[in-house]
């Protein structure tokens, strides 16, 4: 019953929110965000705890207001996503401003291919639609299999409608990592959300002074294929969503494969941390994230378990 209610809620969102005038949709999102924020449920409390790592100097009142801004940003993502299928190319182009496009264009024009890796910032789907419709690059991504299956199918259809090729993280009967590697070797584009590890086999990194794990996939795939690894950060700026495509993360020389994977993943973490530090309200992390917050069994997992099984990072949905 709960799964049916969740699926029905998303279906209602896509069916009704896209019909609302823009100011009404934005106001509705803010009201929902504020109501959830005032209740201080589990997700809001965890968001605030995560933001305390990002802004350790902030007083309690400042963190509370920052978590409110974070919930408004998170609900903005959802409201935009419900409306995105109705936006034309001009609307999408007018809402997105990105620096560093030359890094992506150079990688694609060289035939090298590119893997774009980004954290849970801003609106991943809007950025993807902008890449397809404004830059003209189609790409492959990965989606976590959700319950109920009808909700997963709804998200896949939504993203495919925006021009993405979507691979199921599990249960698809094919190797996701192998498919991504083939796309990259063919000089194509892959986009992955990579700041949260779901596999228990990620790479330990230092993030805002504490240890967490991030998927090895982006670094491992680019080592295997020779594709460019391009970190991206996204944030909201008034009516715009802005972003930066950072220069390629190059593998260090003279190290073994695991050491290179670790070093490249740490570089991703450092770049993302700086973007999140500047725009903390737009990092939509409402789950326990640092190892110190996770069950002790996971915290104690040895570092040698970093491997390429974590090549399938977390999609937002």
């Amino acid at each position: 019953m709960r799964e049916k209610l969740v699926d029905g809620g998303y279906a209602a969102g896509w069916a009704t929110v896209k019909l609302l005038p823009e100011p009404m949709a934005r106001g509705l999102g803010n009201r929902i965000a504020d109501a959830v924020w005032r209740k201080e449920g589990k997700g809001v409390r965890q968001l605030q705890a995560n933001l305390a790592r990002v802004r350790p100097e902030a007083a309690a009142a400042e963190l509370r207001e920052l978590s409110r801004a974070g919930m408004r940003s998170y609900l903005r993502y959802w409201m935009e996503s419900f409306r995105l299928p109705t936006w034309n190319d001009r609307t999408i182009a007018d809402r997105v401003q990105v620096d560093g496009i030359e890094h992506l264009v150079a990688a694609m024009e060289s035939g090298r291919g590119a893997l774009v890796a980004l954290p849970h910032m801003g609106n991943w789907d809007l950025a993807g639609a902008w890449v397809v419709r404004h830059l003209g690059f189609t790409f492959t991504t990965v989606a976590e299999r959700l319950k109920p299956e009808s909700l997963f199918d709804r998200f896949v259809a939504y993203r495919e409608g925006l021009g993405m090729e979507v691979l199921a993280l599990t249960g698809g009967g094919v190797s996701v990592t192998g498919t991504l590697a083939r796309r990259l070797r063919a000089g194509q584009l892959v986009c992955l959300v990579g700041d949260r590890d779901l596999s228990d086999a990620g790479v330990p990194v230092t993030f805002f002074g504490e240890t967490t794990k991030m998927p090895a996939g982006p670094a491992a795939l680019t080592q295997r294929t020779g594709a460019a690894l391009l970190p991206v950060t996204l944030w909201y700026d008034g009516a715009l969503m802005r972003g930066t495509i950072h220069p390629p993360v190059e593998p260090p020389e003279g190290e073994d494969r695991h050491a290179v994977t670790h070093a490249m993943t740490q570089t991703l973490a450092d770049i993302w941390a700086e973007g999140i530090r500047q725009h903390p309200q737009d990092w939509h992390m409402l789950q326990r994230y640092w190892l110190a917050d996770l069950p002790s069994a996971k915290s104690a997992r040895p570092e040698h378990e970093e491997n390429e099984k974590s090549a399938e990072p977390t999609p937002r949905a």
Side-chain angles (χ1 to χ4, degrees), residues 117-272:
L118 62 162
H120 287 77
M121 290 186 77
N123 189 329
W124 186 95
D125 295 308
L126 176 55
W130 179 83
V131 166
V132 173
R133 299 190 191 180
H134 185 64
L135 297 184
F137 298 130
T138 58
F139 65 88
T140 303
T141 189
V142 176
E144 178 186 357
R145 189 170 292 279
L146 304 173
K147 293 183 179 182
E149 191 74 15
S150 57
L151 180 59
F152 173 74
D153 292 340
R154 201 181 299 280
F155 270 102
V156 169
Y158 158 64
R159 286 176 173 147
E160 288 180 340
L162 299 177
M164 311 175 192
E165 179 190 19
V166 182
L167 307 177
L169 179 62
T170 58
V174 297
S175 168
V176 173
T177 303
T179 301
L180 295 176
R182 286 192 294 273
R183 298 291 184 270
L184 292 171
R185 289 192 182 105
Q188 297 176 15
L189 177 62
V190 168
C191 298
L192 299 174
V193 179
D195 60 337
R196 181 168 174 253
D197 177 57
L198 287 180
S199 68
D200 288 349
V203 177
V205 296
T206 301
F207 199 60
F208 292 102
E210 295 191 43
T211 303
T212 186
K213 287 188 176 182
M214 292 184 178
L221 279 166
T222 52
Q223 286 183 77
R224 288 174 57 183
T225 64
L229 176 56
L230 301 175
V232 168
T233 48
L234 302 170
W235 67 94
Y236 288 122
D237 183 6
L240 286 174
M241 185 182 74
R242 297 184 60 191
T244 298
I245 302 173
H246 300 269
V249 175
E250 301 293 349
E253 297 181 0
E255 302 285 351
D256 64 36
R257 179 174 56 84
H258 288 303
V260 171
T261 297
H262 182 277
M264 294 176 74
T265 305
Q266 183 63 63
T267 299
L268 289 177
D270 293 343
I271 292 169
W272 291 338

Side-chain angles (χ1 to χ4, degrees), residues 264-309:
M264 294 176 74
T265 305
Q266 183 63 63
T267 299
L268 289 177
D270 293 343
I271 292 169
W272 291 338
E274 183 57 32
I276 292 167
R277 186 177 287 108
Q278 294 178 18
H279 310 282
Q281 70 278 3
D282 295 319
W283 186 43
H284 304 151
M285 187 57 63
L286 280 69
Q287 298 82 23
R288 290 183 295 179
Y289 186 70
W290 280 270
L291 297 191
D293 294 341
L294 298 176
S296 58
K298 182 171 183 179
S299 299
R301 191 176 295 273
E303 291 190 7
H304 71 262
E305 291 191 3
E306 61 186 63
N307 60 54
E308 294 184 17
K309 289 184 179 180

